[in-house]
Amino acid sequence: MTRRLGLNLLAVGVALVALASCDQVKSRIDKLSKLSADVAKQVNGEILGNDAGGATAAPVESRALAGTLQTPVPIQPQTLDELLSTQGYFAVGSVIAQPKEDLTEPVVDEVDVASVDAAATAPDDVATPDTAPPPAPEPQTAPQADAAAPQAPAAAAAPDALKSAPAAGVVAPRATLALRPNAILREATPPQLRQEAQAAPRVLSRSLARSGVRVTDETLKEARDDARMARSVDNQTAQRVGDELARRDHEAGWRGRRAMAVRTRLNVDRALNARERAYKKLEDMGLSGVVSPEESGAMRIVIGVDPTKFNGQVDPTKSSTMRAHFARDKGKPSEECAGNPSKEKLQSDPVLATECVVKALEATGDYKYVEKDYIFTNQMLRKPKKAKPDATIIPGAAPPAPGTVVPNNPLYPLQWNLREIGTAAGQSPGGAGFANFWTRAKVTGSKSVTIALVDTGIQMNHPAFKGSTHIAPGYDMVSDPVMANDGDGRDSDPNDPGDKCDPNDPTAEDSFHGTHVAGILGAQTTNNGIGVAGGDWDVTVVPVRALGRCGGKLSDINDAIRWAAGKVPARDAQGNEVWNENPADIINLSIGLFEPCPASMQAAINDAVAAGAIVVAAAGNFRVDTKYVAPGGCDNVISVAAGDERGVLAPYSNWGPGVTLMAPGGDMTRDDDGDGRPDGILSTRFSTNCYDPAKPTVQVEQCYYSYENGTSMAAPHVAAALALLKAKFPAAVPSELKTRLMQATSPRTALQCSGKCTNYPGSQPIPGQDGLCFLPCGGATLNLANASLQ
């Protein structure tokens, strides 16, 4: 399912010129030898003079790395239609629907001063559904089949495969979908839904009581006004609401104001009615399934057809199992659910059933949107690596400018992306100016600023993250155990167990993508003599795992975004609420889908922005206008394109008017700084076939740092920059931080954001530049050296 769109070398005003004489050759060799000697001294600590004594003073585990130059793959010319025919994939049997009727209500409406005071002295479990008072009996008019719908016990064993649809011509009973513990989707009974809704105000009361801040009638009145303001935000109003809530949070000196305003719960009566209508539609089609209304107001529907029925039992080690879980989006609505298929056909074809359920629900007119559960992938460009001979690996980089704040991490000298923009010693044309900001602002971060990393999770046993005080409790939102690859569905463990799609493919490898992104943000301890430096030394990172094997479901990502922002809870195996105790100031989405922004994702982003978060998204690696992709093409995000070490748009990066700015993403096919290594982004990631940069001829079997490239790497530079700006200006609301971010940039010319027209379908030719087309990249690249400190 991986889309391999290839890379090319952009030759923007650059040509390879052959050396004309032996003298020139000798001069080149002499310069290269001197550079090799100088940079070897620097990485060994002889020039930099860092506290750790250089790379040789650090153990090999703290300095060994992976990453060699890759051979560019020529791009075959394509028309825009041909390129766009490479459609996305969706999860078979999974649908997302948002009823027009609002299924939620503000939790704060049921909170008063007395309940907060009582919660201050109540035992820990008073607010859980397990200890809530028994719910009132269901009215006699409640649908009998709905009330009796079974739920698999949380600890019970369950079949390995989803149950198939019933025999042709038989109306499917409800809840014939077998659920494993914490698996895919739970079928909550009406009493359970009422119990959970009744518990929500008590959970909020307890949270407010433990905040240590006095809650008054006036505080609650203002919070209820805020809650009404935060209801039903859209693309135009989300930012204004988020700014107002952030401003009030800061004025109050605590984040409880945000929680009071944005937390919602289900209106159970409306939710049950919506669920009943959806079940009725499934039954009319001869299908079974589970319909789950959620605190976001949307519903997730898992259709009771077995996507693995043609492959026998579910075996996550078999690629055929994984292929059966996904289907290619046809891209043209007229091709989906064509020909009015019979019930028998729907029951025998899971892909067709998924398409037809979407169309059938849309046709009712009861929904704001109904869409397939698309599969997102990370935006780290992966290619087969071609190793170079040991003798050609030259360690080091030019030293930083005198007086610059320099962390003592042994691999920091190799992180060109953090340097100041320029061509002098210690600078890089493609740097982002972090070192300059650390020095000028005298700020390297603040733990009171939170970045939520919605990704593959983090390798918690990575040496850089063991015991890190910068990683706060997160959550695993991957609902499908087959994709989760950790033995269950959702839980409180955001550790990354690996995500390779086909374990039997000898060329496949786990990306450990979230771990690499976390190192760029600064989830490790910077300035501790180990590994690499992060962009922000003191930030708090909340890992929210939403991608697993082969990618991540749209439904899981939407829930992850809202949970990260403090908008909705997760739920444990007993149905208890689990809230993010560190609501995000910034949410990083280094993920991508080759489809226009899904309506459900836009709604989740709007909810997060209205809760006071800034959403940073990778522009994507598909070489197209961001309007064709998500989340880089969604509204209310900062869309980040990727630049290389020269400070020009990387050849794989998306582009377009929707791009906000460019940031270092690297290019593994180039070595423009002449150090013998690829111009990728060096960060935290477990790898094999490594080498010791202090002793370039020494091979190392495995290591914890590697060069990678992609818009996935560009986005966290911007997220870390925003976190630094928030640390420097804690009172700044999100829109003010965005303004400061755009001041912290350097302009890019048309030639710095351009490429061959044949390689970028839909791009516009640059007058006077034969064969070159303009690829809008925001007109600016991140440069914290230009950040205003006033």
Side-chain angles (χ1 to χ4, degrees):
M1 62 176 274
T2 303
R3 200 178 282 112
R4 300 183 182 275
L5 295 178
L7 294 176
N8 75 312
L9 286 173
L10 283 180
V12 182
V14 178
L16 296 176
V17 180
L19 296 177
S21 68
C22 293
D23 289 341
Q24 288 176 304
V25 174
K26 183 177 184 302
S27 174
R28 174 77 171 176
I29 293 174
D30 289 344
K31 290 179 180 179
L32 189 59
S33 298
K34 184 178 186 302
L35 173 63
S36 177
D38 288 345
V39 296
K41 288 179 180 179
Q42 186 215 341
V43 82
N44 289 335
E46 298 172 37
I47 294 177
L48 204 57
N50 60 51
D51 294 338
T56 54
V60 173
E61 180 184 79
S62 298
R63 69 179 190 241
L65 56 88
T68 53
L69 278 169
Q70 298 174 352
T71 303
V73 177
I75 296 176
Q76 299 302 318
Q78 288 180 296
T79 67
L80 183 58
D81 284 342
E82 289 171 338
L83 191 58
L84 295 180
S85 67
T86 308
Q87 298 297 326
Y89 286 75
F90 61 90
V92 175
S94 187
V95 173
I96 307 170
Q98 169 78 58
K100 289 181 178 178
E101 182 181 32
D102 191 352
L103 305 187
T104 67
E105 57 193 14
V107 176
V108 72
D109 285 352
E110 298 298 321
V111 173
D112 56 29
V113 173
S115 67
V116 175
D117 291 342
T121 57
D124 286 348
D125 63 352
V126 71
T128 67
D130 292 345
T131 58
E138 285 297 304
Q140 294 299 313
T141 54
Q144 184 63 34
D146 190 48
Q151 181 188 23
D160 287 331
L162 300 176
K163 289 184 179 179
S164 303
V170 179
V171 174
R174 294 181 184 167
T176 61
L177 192 67
L179 298 181
R180 294 176 290 278
N182 253 358
I184 305 180
L185 200 59
R186 68 191 188 111
E187 166 73 322
T189 63
Q192 287 172 319
L193 290 176
R194 294 194 187 282
Q195 206 170 44
E196 291 168 1
Q198 290 170 5
R202 291 192 296 277
V203 173
L204 179 56
S205 294
R206 182 177 63 177
S207 176
L208 297 175
R210 295 184 176 181
S211 70
V213 177
R214 183 168 175 264
V215 177
T216 65
D217 288 331
E218 181 62 25
T219 302
L220 291 170
K221 179 182 181 301
E222 291 176 355
R224 293 185 186 109
D225 291 340
D226 291 344
R228 282 190 288 274
M229 178 179 64
R231 304 285 287 162
S232 303
V233 294
D234 56 25
N235 296 5
Q236 287 69 46
T237 61
Q239 186 65 74
R240 176 178 56 80
V241 172
D243 284 349
E244 184 61 28
L245 293 184
R247 181 177 292 108
R248 295 194 185 188
D249 251 15
H250 180 76
E251 291 172 351
W254 61 304
R255 296 194 177 191
R257 288 296 300 274
R258 183 196 298 194
M260 286 193 288
V262 303
R263 288 191 184 187
T264 57
R265 65 175 182 176
L266 281 176
N267 180 301
V268 179
D269 290 332
R270 291 200 294 263
L272 289 176
N273 287 335
R275 185 167 77 172
E276 175 65 17
R277 289 194 296 271
Y279 273 134
K280 181 64 168 59
K281 181 54 65 176
L282 290 179
E283 290 173 356
D284 291 345
M285 301 173 72
L287 298 172
S288 63
V290 173
V291 180
S292 179
E294 300 183 332
E295 281 90 349
S296 65
M299 298 194 305
R300 293 179 66 188
I301 302 169
V302 175
I303 305 166
V305 289
D306 181 6
T308 63
K309 64 187 296 184
F310 304 112
N311 298 299
Q313 295 296 307
V314 170
D315 182 354
T317 66
K318 294 184 180 297
S319 59
S320 57
T321 295
M322 298 310 297
R323 283 196 295 269
H325 270 67
F326 311 118
R328 185 186 293 274
D329 189 28
K330 294 185 174 66
K332 296 181 179 179
S334 61
E335 298 176 359
E336 298 180 345
C337 191
N340 193 25
S342 65
K343 293 180 180 179
E344 293 82 356
K345 180 65 174 173
L346 293 177
Q347 292 167 358
S348 64
D349 188 336
V351 176
L352 181 65
T354 307
E355 296 173 346
C356 290
V357 167
V358 171
K359 282 202 167 184
L361 293 177
E362 284 178 336
T364 66
D366 293 336
Y367 299 90
K368 292 180 180 178
Y369 58 78
V370 184
E371 54 195 9
K372 297 183 283 291
D373 203 348
Y374 288 106
I375 302 299
F376 284 68
T377 58
N378 69 62
Q379 294 302 289
M380 181 166 73
L381 213 62
R382 305 296 297 166
K383 290 180 53 183
K385 298 178 180 179
K386 182 179 179 181
K388 299 185 69 178
D390 295 344
T392 65
I393 299 175
I394 306 172
T404 300
V405 171
V406 178
N408 63 18
N409 304 81
L411 296 180
Y412 172 72
L414 312 185
Q415 295 180 265
W416 60 265
N417 46 300
L418 301 182
R419 299 180 200 149
E420 188 172 349
I421 290 179
T423 56
Q427 298 180 337
S428 169
F434 280 85
N436 178 285
F437 186 88
W438 300 332
T439 302
R440 288 191 306 119
K442 296 179 174 57
V443 169
T444 56
S446 169
K447 286 187 180 179
S448 66
V449 180
T450 300
I451 300 176
L453 174 58
V454 177
D455 215 291
T456 64
I458 295 178
Q459 276 184 294
M460 296 302 183
N461 63 350
H462 190 290
F465 300 126
K466 281 182 180 177
S468 173
T469 59
H470 303 292
I471 300 178
Y475 212 81
D476 180 357
M477 283 288 183
V478 181
S479 57
D480 186 338
V482 175
M483 295 182 71
N485 198 30
D486 60 0
D488 60 15
R490 293 184 175 181
D491 57 41
S492 59
D493 180 11
N495 182 64
D496 184 354
D499 62 354
K500 59 184 174 183
C501 206
D502 183 359
N504 299 315
D505 182 354
T507 66
E509 63 178 353
D510 295 312
S511 74
F512 298 118
H513 178 271
T515 302
H516 196 272
V517 174
I520 299 171
L521 294 173
Q524 73 278 37
T525 301
T526 295
N527 204 38
N528 66 345
I530 295 175
V532 296
D536 189 311
W537 300 15
D538 297 299
V539 71
T540 295
V541 175
V542 175
V544 192
R545 185 171 183 246
L547 274 68
R549 291 184 59 200
C550 306
K553 290 183 179 180
L554 170 61
S555 55
D556 290 340
I557 294 168
N558 291 341
D559 288 349
I561 292 171
R562 289 188 172 101
W563 185 84
K567 171 70 174 176
V568 301
R571 292 198 178 273
D572 63 18
Q574 289 73 45
N576 300 319
E577 294 183 2
V578 181
W579 286 92
N580 177 14
E581 296 299 329
N582 298 276
D585 297 294
I586 302 141
I587 299 175
N588 189 89
L589 301 176
S590 288
I591 59 177
L593 168 72
F594 203 163
E595 295 279 348
C597 186
S600 64
M601 172 165 275
Q602 186 63 67
I605 289 170
N606 288 348
D607 281 348
V609 171
I614 299 174
V615 179
V616 179
N621 300 341
F622 310 121
R623 299 184 293 111
V624 297
D625 192 314
T626 55
K627 67 183 179 182
Y628 299 115
V629 305
C634 297
D635 290 331
N636 286 325
V637 303
I638 294 176
S639 183
V640 187
D644 65 14
E645 197 275 338
R646 301 170 298 164
V648 305
L649 189 71
Y652 54 78
S653 180
N654 286 351
W655 44 272
V659 170
T660 310
L661 78 168
M662 192 168 69
D667 186 344
M668 296 291 287
T669 70
R670 301 189 69 93
D671 178 22
D672 289 296
D673 58 8
D675 68 356
R677 286 180 309 278
D679 292 336
I681 304 300
L682 183 59
S683 186
T684 45
R685 178 182 178 273
F686 175 80
S687 301
T688 56
N689 300 319
C690 311
Y691 59 89
D692 183 349
K695 301 175 182 178
T697 60
V698 176
Q699 294 294 293
V700 181
E701 183 178 350
Q702 65 181 38
C703 58
Y704 297 96
Y705 306 92
S706 71
Y707 287 100
E708 303 295 345
N709 60 182
T711 54
S712 272
M713 283 62 256
H717 285 86
V718 172
L722 284 164
L724 287 173
L725 291 168
K726 179 68 172 176
K728 180 66 176 177
F729 304 99
V733 300
S735 63
E736 293 168 350
L737 288 174
K738 290 180 180 180
T739 298
R740 287 188 175 277
L741 173 70
M742 294 314 295
Q743 292 171 346
T745 60
S746 289
R748 297 291 90 175
T749 66
L751 285 178
Q752 289 171 313
C753 294
S754 66
K756 292 182 179 179
C757 298
T758 53
N759 293 339
Y760 300 91
S763 54
Q764 297 300 313
I766 301 175
Q769 299 291 330
D770 187 30
L772 285 181
C773 275
F774 178 45
L775 311 174
C777 63
T781 190
L782 178 64
N783 183 10
L784 282 166
N786 288 339
S788 172
L789 302 183
Q790 301 300 317

